[in-house]
Amino acid sequence: MNPKKKIVDYTALAKEIINEHNLVRANPILYVEKLQSYLKYFKGDVLEKPGNHPLRTYEGKAAFLEAIEALQRQKPVGGLIENEKLNLACADHLKDIGPKGLCTHDGSDGSNPSDRIEKYCEWDLACSENIDFGSKTAEEVLINLIVDDGIEERNHRKNVFNPDLKYIGVACGPHKDFEHCSILDYVADLREHGQQSKHKVNIVDEILKREEEKKNKKNVKKNPYQENDPDAPDNTVGVKLSKTTKIINGKPTKILKKTYTLSDNSLHVVEVIESYN
């Protein structure tokens, strides 16, 4: 017998996901018992939890056991602040992929999480996105993200516990193929369009600073991206450069924006003031 279809209040679910997210960040050990309770429902690599459709997993119990060990080691991190602009960015992606049955961070228009967020605000330092398919409760969403079955680097779990991320947006709704979908966007910092970043770098001061650092780190092995770009983080796997002129404090300001893709699929941004007009 198929589980009875449950009507989901998606607005309430989004709020519950944020609350649950902050509970597990503050006290990771809370989810150890929850994950342990799933182990008895496995038949081989198939999870047959009462009230849910049978789910064939990639790793079976092994992923849950590994997640339990990780939670036991995980230190508490600060809570996330809900932001309405991030909620809107999530909602845009949900409206795109839900009806089409897509399962991707890329929009059908070619947009990535950074593009969608920048429609509503500017983000600084770090940006990440988690997407869950099929879960109808906040607890199920967090369990799926923490276990991260089939994802070798556990990138979703890393996002859940990343201490650098400070703001969150969530949107939940129907999905053509997986019934339910929850999208979570995170950033380290954000600001209004045109507002000067407190993390912005003055190019002259930065060059002098980097030259000094070179003298002190002559023997340190660099990431290939760092050979010609001292702003590149150690785990950079790609970079996108863009130039623009923004009105900051009433002045036209030329900005070089460097958006780095890191090995955990998160994004890191550095904005450099090139000159004031």
Side-chain angles (χ1 to χ4, degrees):
M1 182 182 294
N2 291 331
K4 186 182 293 185
K5 188 173 181 179
K6 180 181 178 181
I7 297 175
V8 176
D9 182 338
Y10 290 118
T11 300
L13 176 59
K15 300 295 183 185
E16 290 164 5
I17 287 172
I18 295 173
N19 291 337
E20 199 72 15
H21 209 308
N22 282 333
L23 282 175
V24 73
R25 278 172 69 99
N27 191 359
I29 207 72
L30 284 176
Y31 263 63
V32 168
E33 187 174 342
K34 296 179 189 294
L35 267 58
Q36 288 173 335
S37 71
Y38 273 63
L39 298 176
K40 62 180 176 288
Y41 299 124
F42 273 96
K43 292 184 178 179
D45 60 359
V46 177
L47 178 63
E48 298 185 357
K49 190 172 184 290
N52 290 42
H53 295 286
L55 176 67
R56 183 172 296 280
T57 65
Y58 291 95
E59 302 174 63
K61 287 183 179 181
F64 279 76
L65 293 170
E66 187 273 334
I68 289 168
E69 291 180 3
L71 286 173
Q72 291 169 334
R73 298 190 304 268
Q74 177 64 49
K75 295 180 180 179
V77 294
L80 297 164
I81 301 169
E82 181 182 5
N83 182 270
E84 184 57 31
K85 290 180 172 61
L86 297 181
N87 289 342
L88 293 171
C90 293
D92 285 349
H93 195 44
L94 180 66
K95 291 173 187 175
D96 179 24
I97 68 172
K100 299 181 179 75
L102 301 176
C103 302
T104 173
H105 294 285
D106 295 323
S108 60
D109 60 355
S111 64
N112 61 30
S114 175
D115 298 326
R116 294 188 289 271
I117 291 170
E118 289 179 351
K119 177 181 175 183
Y120 298 102
C121 63
E122 301 278 3
W123 62 271
D124 285 317
L125 301 178
C127 164
S128 297
E129 183 174 80
N130 278 346
I131 304 180
D132 175 80
F133 298 97
S135 300
K136 57 182 178 291
T137 70
E139 182 177 296
E140 288 176 352
V141 170
L142 267 298
I143 286 175
N144 284 345
L145 297 178
I146 291 169
V147 173
D148 220 1
D149 175 54
I151 307 299
E152 184 177 355
E153 294 189 354
R154 310 300 191 201
N155 292 328
H156 298 92
R157 184 194 303 161
K158 289 177 181 178
N159 288 339
V160 170
F161 292 108
N162 186 340
D164 295 329
L165 299 172
K166 308 297 183 185
Y167 296 90
I168 187 172
V170 179
C172 305
H175 189 273
K176 179 182 176 183
D177 294 333
F178 291 97
E179 193 171 351
H180 312 294
C181 177
S182 297
I183 298 177
L184 297 75
D185 280 353
Y186 313 81
V187 298
D189 205 356
L190 48 74
R191 54 196 159 87
E192 299 294 332
H193 288 134
Q195 182 180 357
Q196 183 169 350
S197 170
K198 57 179 175 283
H199 309 287
K200 201 177 302 297
V201 177
N202 181 286
I203 193 166
V204 176
D205 292 342
E206 187 63 14
I207 289 173
L208 293 174
K209 177 183 174 184
R210 295 299 184 181
E211 287 300 322
E212 184 64 27
E213 289 178 350
K214 285 180 184 178
K215 294 177 184 178
N216 298 328
K217 297 182 178 180
K218 286 183 179 179
N219 298 322
V220 176
K221 186 176 180 181
K222 295 180 179 180
N223 179 291
Y225 289 92
Q226 294 172 320
E227 292 296 333
N228 299 310
D229 182 2
D231 289 325
D234 292 340
N235 56 336
T236 299
V237 295
V239 61
K240 175 183 176 184
L241 302 179
S242 59
K243 291 190 175 184
T244 187
T245 298
K246 297 183 180 181
I247 303 300
I248 297 177
N249 296 333
K251 296 180 180 180
T253 306
K254 290 184 178 180
I255 301 294
L256 172 64
K257 185 170 187 176
K258 300 187 280 190
T259 304
Y260 301 97
T261 301
L262 308 184
S263 59
D264 62 0
N265 290 329
S266 65
L267 301 175
H268 175 88
V269 67
V270 172
E271 287 190 343
V272 179
I273 295 177
E274 293 191 306
S275 67
Y276 290 101
N277 288 343

